[in-house]
Amino acid sequence: MPDREERDSAMTNRSRAALISWYHRLGELIDYRGKHSHSAYLSRLLLTENEISPVKSQYISTVFTANVPQKSDKNGGLGAWVNKQRMEKKLFDKGKKTGMTEKKIAKLEKAGLQW
């Protein structure tokens, strides 16, 4: 769920709803990764463990990725959402206006998203 700073920065009901929706999709991505990497426990561990070594994190993220097929109807639009996150990150990297933040990028990377 969003932290206090993120909730406070979402000034309107629409932006709060978008933030909650984003975190819901992130949860779906984590669940997808867990189901398709045969390691749901490990996927949850990556987001809950406070200190994980960079080497271990890099190894885990290369073995257990969260690549979702974009055109699969089985995932309820999750693939399209992941693709949108990639496009938002490109805008963020170029310094353009986007809803992507460093916190979101970190959370997506911890969830195993490959850019």
Side-chain angles (χ1 to χ4, degrees), residues 66-100:
N67 291 328
V68 183
Q70 186 176 349
K71 295 183 180 182
S72 175
D73 291 333
K74 296 176 187 177
N75 302 313
L78 183 60
W81 180 82
V82 167
N83 189 54
K84 179 160 176 43
Q85 300 314 300
R86 288 184 175 121
M87 291 186 317
E88 292 286 317
K89 181 169 183 302
K90 284 180 185 177
L91 292 173
F92 179 84
D93 290 343
K94 291 178 182 178
K96 303 217 174 179
K97 186 176 179 180
T98 177
M100 185 59 67

Side-chain angles (χ1 to χ4, degrees), residues 1-80:
M1 288 316 281
D3 61 26
R4 183 181 188 114
E5 181 182 330
E6 288 174 308
R7 285 191 309 267
D8 290 346
S9 69
M11 299 294 202
T12 66
N13 285 338
R14 185 175 179 183
S15 60
R16 285 186 192 109
L19 186 62
I20 290 168
S21 176
W22 190 90
Y23 273 91
H24 176 75
R25 282 294 193 179
L26 178 64
E28 289 178 9
L29 180 65
I30 294 165
D31 290 344
Y32 177 89
R33 178 184 180 187
K35 288 176 187 172
H36 292 84
S37 68
H38 308 292
S39 181
Y41 171 75
L42 185 58
S43 294
R44 292 286 183 200
L45 177 68
L46 278 174
L47 288 178
T48 57
E49 187 175 299
N50 289 334
E51 293 184 20
I52 189 164
S53 75
V55 173
K56 187 189 288 184
S57 179
Q58 183 177 5
Y59 169 76
I60 291 170
S61 66
T62 57
V63 175
F64 302 100
T65 63
N67 291 328
V68 183
Q70 186 176 349
K71 295 183 180 182
S72 175
D73 291 333
K74 296 176 187 177
N75 302 313
L78 183 60

